[in-house]
Each structure stands twice: as structure tokens, then as C-alpha cells.
Amino acid sequence: MGHPKVVPVIMEHMTKELETEHPYQVIRSSYRASEIGKCPRYQAYKQLGFKQEKINAQLSLLFRMGHIVEEEVVGLLRRSGFVVTNQQHVGCKTFKVDRTTINVTASLDILLDGKYIMDAKSTNFFTFKYLTKDYILKKYKTYYDQIQTYLNVVEGPGISEWGCLLFYEKMTSRLAEFWFKRDKHYFENDIIPRLIKIEKAVLQRKIIPRPKGFTSSTQDCERCPMRLPCWKKPMKVRD
């Protein structure tokens, strides 16, 4: 044969990388902004030390696309005259409720012009055309919880009360921005109580009940790396 087969070599290399990759170390009582809106049972399993299933090479490439999009958005912003700093800056804040203490961490994608918190999201063509603030709150509330956590945890002189979710559509490279104002009441009376509930259960070595309506075939459950301890079924491989 007069030429190499490139794709099989890439996928084999990716598989070997994943086999030797060290898992993310969970810090007890510490909750990450990017996961706060996710299934509470999943978060409890992580806090209890259950091991996540390893992802395959194809899924790893999909996740890397998010990092590629973030780098592209940062480049576009800088070339357009904006100042971008604090990439992957980690903020942390401690909260104590009913004698239960948790730490909430926030790792920023972008701090724009020294004051605007921004998070870059990649999305597909079909989702992009429906994007509105209401749609985000209904279908992608995890993103809203994430930006609200950033706005309430990351503090400093000049940090604005406004934060942005910037979406990059991967097929046609369209962009859309959605700005949200800091909502301290929602953060302290909705997000924090959810985390405290998880933490209290973990301290008692209890497993949080599954969210109402979730089954083993619910998409979020099928793709969850904690599907094995939760449903006794391995995570479904994406096509």
C-alpha cells in the first residue's frame, strides 16, 4: 500500500493515552461550578469515592472539541481588540449551612477586559437555532447554574455583575451571546441548598435518590460515567 492509514493510528494512540491517564482527584466537600447543575446522585457518587468509567477514544475527542472551541473563541476576542485574562483561574468560596461546610470552586474560561466573566460553549447546528435565554433555562440549566456560580464565587475589584455564555456552533461557525446578571438570591437559596443536601447525605454515607423520572435509558443516565454503580450497567458508547 502506498500510503499510511492515519485514523486507526490516531485512535490507537488516544486509547493508549486514556489507559495511562490519571483520574481527576476529587477533593472532599469541594464542588465544581461546571458540575453543580448535574445529577445530584452523580455528584454524591464522586464525593463518596466511587470510580468513574473510563471514556473511549471517540468520546475523548468529542470532549477535546470543547477545549479547541475555547481556544478559538479566545483568539477571536483578542484579535477583535478585547483583553482576555484569567484563563482557567480558579476561584473558591466556603459556605456553611446548618453546621455543614462546603467549598465551591470556579475555573474560569475567560475574564473579558478585566471585569466580565465569560464561558465558551460549543454546540451543534440543531441546538444553536433554538438558543434563547428561556431555552437555556429550560434545556441547559446546568450552564445557567455554572455562570451564576462564577458570578457569586469569583470576586475582585471591578468584577461586573454581568456574565456571558458565548456559544460557538461547530458546523457553520456562528456565534451567539447570552448575558446573565448575578442573582445572589437564586445562588444562596437554590444552588447552595442543593449542594448542602448532597454533602449531608455523603457525610452519612447515603446515596442521593435518582432524579424523578430518570431511568437507565434516560440519555443523561446512558452517558453517565457513574452508570455502573447507579444502574449496574456500563456507560453506553456513543456512535
Side-chain angles (χ1 to χ4, degrees):
M1 190 165 118
H3 58 80
K5 282 282 190 180
V6 175
V7 173
V9 174
I10 291 174
M11 301 308 288
E12 183 181 358
H13 175 73
M14 290 287 300
T15 300
K16 288 179 179 178
E17 275 190 348
L18 290 167
E19 287 172 353
T20 58
E21 188 177 63
H22 293 290
Y24 172 79
Q25 295 299 310
V26 176
I27 301 173
R28 270 293 297 118
S29 304
S30 183
Y31 295 83
R32 302 168 69 191
S34 59
E35 295 188 332
I36 279 174
K38 292 184 178 180
C39 171
R41 189 174 173 99
Y42 160 79
Q43 294 183 73
Y45 275 126
K46 286 190 70 174
Q47 289 291 328
L48 287 166
F50 283 75
K51 288 185 178 180
Q52 299 189 83
E53 279 187 78
K54 287 194 174 184
I55 60 175
N56 62 18
Q58 189 63 52
L59 188 54
S60 177
L61 284 174
L62 180 62
F63 288 160
R64 289 186 186 204
M65 180 56 67
H67 298 296
I68 293 170
V69 165
E70 179 188 331
E71 290 173 4
E72 178 62 19
V73 167
V74 167
L76 287 169
L77 289 168
R78 285 177 171 155
R79 291 194 297 274
S80 301
F82 293 101
V83 176
V84 178
T85 56
N86 291 62
Q87 287 175 266
Q88 303 309 317
H89 165 78
V90 178
C92 182
K93 203 169 184 178
T94 301
F95 299 88
K96 188 173 183 179
V97 180
D98 298 332
R99 295 181 293 178
T100 302
T101 302
I102 59 172
N103 296 307
V104 180
T105 62
S107 179
L108 299 184
D109 279 358
I110 296 163
L111 186 63
L112 192 71
D113 288 341
K115 58 182 178 180
Y116 300 110
I117 291 170
M118 181 175 284
D119 199 62
K121 301 292 185 187
S122 63
T123 188
N124 60 47
F125 173 83
F126 303 101
T127 298
F128 187 88
K129 64 182 181 180
Y130 294 112
L131 284 178
T132 62
K133 276 192 172 183
D134 288 341
Y135 187 82
I136 291 168
L137 290 172
K138 184 178 180 180
K139 296 290 187 178
Y140 292 96
K141 199 159 178 290
T142 299
Y143 294 166
Y144 179 71
D145 286 352
Q146 185 177 0
I147 199 72
Q148 281 298 336
T149 301
Y150 288 162
L151 289 168
N152 283 276
V153 168
V154 179
E155 299 178 314
I159 298 294
S160 173
E161 64 181 349
W162 288 93
C164 178
L165 293 173
L166 183 63
F167 289 86
Y168 183 106
E169 193 268 292
K170 294 174 284 188
M171 184 180 291
T172 61
S173 298
R174 288 179 294 172
L175 297 167
E177 59 186 295
F178 297 92
W179 289 85
F180 296 92
K181 191 175 182 180
R182 182 186 297 123
D183 189 338
K184 188 175 181 181
H185 183 269
Y186 173 75
F187 181 73
E188 293 181 349
N189 292 279
D190 192 301
I191 292 177
I192 292 300
R194 277 186 269 148
L195 298 179
I196 291 294
K197 182 179 180 180
I198 295 169
E199 182 65 14
K200 284 182 175 179
V202 170
L203 289 171
Q204 297 174 42
R205 307 295 296 177
K206 292 182 179 179
I207 298 296
I208 292 282
R210 299 184 187 98
K212 188 177 179 180
F214 276 42
T215 69
S216 63
S217 58
T218 302
Q219 187 180 78
D220 286 345
C221 290
E222 285 186 335
R223 297 176 176 181
C224 179
M226 289 294 183
R227 192 178 188 225
L228 198 56
C230 187
W231 291 105
K232 311 304 180 193
K233 295 179 179 180
M235 180 171 54
K236 189 173 181 180
V237 177
R238 298 192 195 188
D239 296 328

